Amino acid sequence: MIRSVPLVFNDPAYHDPKDAEHLCLPYTVAPCPNSQRRFAGRLHAVPRLDLSTYEFRAVFDWIEISVETKRDRSSVNLYNRLRKLNEDFGAFRTCFVASPTRGSAHSGRGHVIKMQDPAPGGLPGLLRAFLREDCAPGCALDDIPVTGMELSLDVYPAPRFCEGDYAVRRMLMTELLRKHVAVAVAEVFREDRRHPRFVHKVYKTGSNTTTQRVVAPRGAAKHRVKKRAPEIGLRPLDIASCDPAHHHQPFVDATLYFGQKGERLSYRLMDKITDNRKGDMADDLSCHRTRSRAEFTLIDETPGDGLGPASVGISSINDLALDGLASFNTLLGFELPTFRRDASDPEIPDRDAWEIFAKTGVAGLAQREDALDVMEGDRDTLRARARQRVQSSGKLLRFSNLNARATKALRRLEKRWRRDWL
């Protein structure tokens, strides 16, 4: 069986009107191939998009380190010093210098340095010169702690496609990544400030607005849900997630977020057609440089607290080149949805479940399944349970083909850093 998910747009001028009929992501729906008990009798959906017609690349957007200088230095002075060194080494595109708590206009010995587009060929030389001439004695390259990083998975349609086909294929891949991204510790991103949400400009007015992917009910529905929530030990938003009406599909021309800026872990997914954005201004990319992008940010919430890169084995700048990125496979992965069969026709997915997946992907579907598991449980147990955060149900399948492509891109990034670093 073939089912399709239409793409939605905020700005109707974002795509060529002639492409509208092709801007649907098709799926093959079939019985689950997995024999495990939790998948018994369920259906699963696989996107009908040929991944071999795409190129996958992984890059570091930026890396943040913490250093201590020999004497008090202002952030502006240190920035100028690093920029001068960079003329010789070409270690990054630009950098930013902040206080140990990431504050601006800082003067002291402790500093946090964020390097944009770091280059492994020039970075060791620049850092050694910086350590030798500017930093406190005894600090070696191996000892420079990494306090933050942003890693991106960029997916490009094959360059052989003409502009029109290239754009359509890129937008379909953007939708696919959003539908299937499996964020680490998914239930954490259901909390109030971390809700998946998409940000876009209001058409014709130009002002930014944010829309939650799953929204709480309003009016009479809000009253019913709030009354029911204490009885079954769930939050109102978890109950609301069972109703497709409370799910909103992100626009392709919007940026999708999981998590809160400044916290340990966050994700951002976009259809990247511009670069070097400053406020409302940005440079348009040429057609074959546009791509689908999934950005993953891992930081120490307070530099040096060890919550960020150190928690996945990246403690020092040297670890990036020598220890590899294997642990990132657990943080940046993709999954396929599975569905209960519809009560009126067992050959098709449950109608509500399919509509929810079509709007909010595997994240929205998993939240709905988790809530249903609790709501359909033993009533006495539910009444005795305090309000809880629902946990991941495990009713998703690994998207093996897409994960393999992402893993290969990470390995190529590892090899490039190891080769150029040494």
Side-chain angles (χ1 to χ4, degrees), residues 130-341:
F130 181 63
L131 289 171
R132 183 174 60 251
E133 300 170 23
D134 298 89
C135 290
C139 184
L141 189 65
D142 293 6
D143 301 327
I144 299 177
V146 176
T147 56
M149 63 174 62
E150 185 168 89
L151 179 72
S152 286
L153 179 68
D154 287 324
V155 188
Y156 299 78
R160 68 174 182 270
F161 295 113
C162 66
E163 285 195 13
D165 287 346
Y166 184 99
V168 169
R169 290 170 183 271
R170 186 200 69 235
M171 288 184 277
L172 290 174
M173 175 54 69
T174 298
E175 186 73 7
L176 184 145
L177 294 179
R178 292 174 173 184
K179 286 283 181 287
H180 297 277
V181 67
V183 298
V185 200
E187 64 272 10
V188 171
F189 293 97
R190 298 171 188 168
E191 295 179 351
D192 292 344
R193 293 183 302 116
R194 303 183 181 97
H195 287 166
R197 61 203 180 278
F198 54 99
V199 179
H200 56 93
K201 289 190 178 296
V202 178
Y203 182 49
K204 294 184 179 178
T205 70
S207 58
N208 284 334
T209 187
T210 300
T211 303
Q212 302 289 355
R213 288 216 304 178
V214 181
V215 298
R218 297 178 179 177
K222 177 180 179 180
H223 177 73
R224 289 195 299 271
V225 168
K226 287 190 72 172
K227 182 178 179 181
R228 191 179 180 196
E231 298 175 1
I232 58 178
L234 287 178
R235 300 173 307 165
L237 194 64
D238 289 323
I239 298 175
S241 71
C242 298
D243 185 346
H246 297 135
H247 292 248
H248 293 278
Q249 183 176 353
F251 301 122
V252 173
D253 49 331
T255 301
L256 173 63
Y257 293 85
F258 288 78
Q260 185 79 0
K261 185 177 180 180
E263 293 187 330
R264 171 183 175 262
L265 192 58
S266 60
Y267 299 78
R268 185 166 66 158
L269 295 93
M270 70 187 76
D271 195 51
K272 189 166 179 63
I273 62 172
T274 61
D275 204 4
N276 301 324
R277 178 167 294 280
K278 292 182 180 179
D280 290 334
M281 304 298 294
D283 300 329
D284 291 333
L285 293 171
S286 61
C287 174
H288 288 81
R289 290 182 62 209
T290 62
R291 66 262 195 195
S292 306
R293 167 166 279 206
E295 291 179 352
F296 164 87
T297 304
L298 187 66
I299 64 170
D300 289 354
E301 294 182 7
T302 300
D305 63 18
L307 295 176
S311 68
V312 294
I314 307 294
S315 297
S316 73
I317 193 74
N318 232 20
D319 291 337
L320 290 172
L322 303 181
D323 288 350
L325 303 171
S327 55
F328 278 73
N329 286 330
T330 63
L331 300 174
L332 186 61
F334 302 89
E335 293 177 329
L336 294 171
T338 72
F339 306 90
R340 305 178 185 205
R341 295 174 184 265

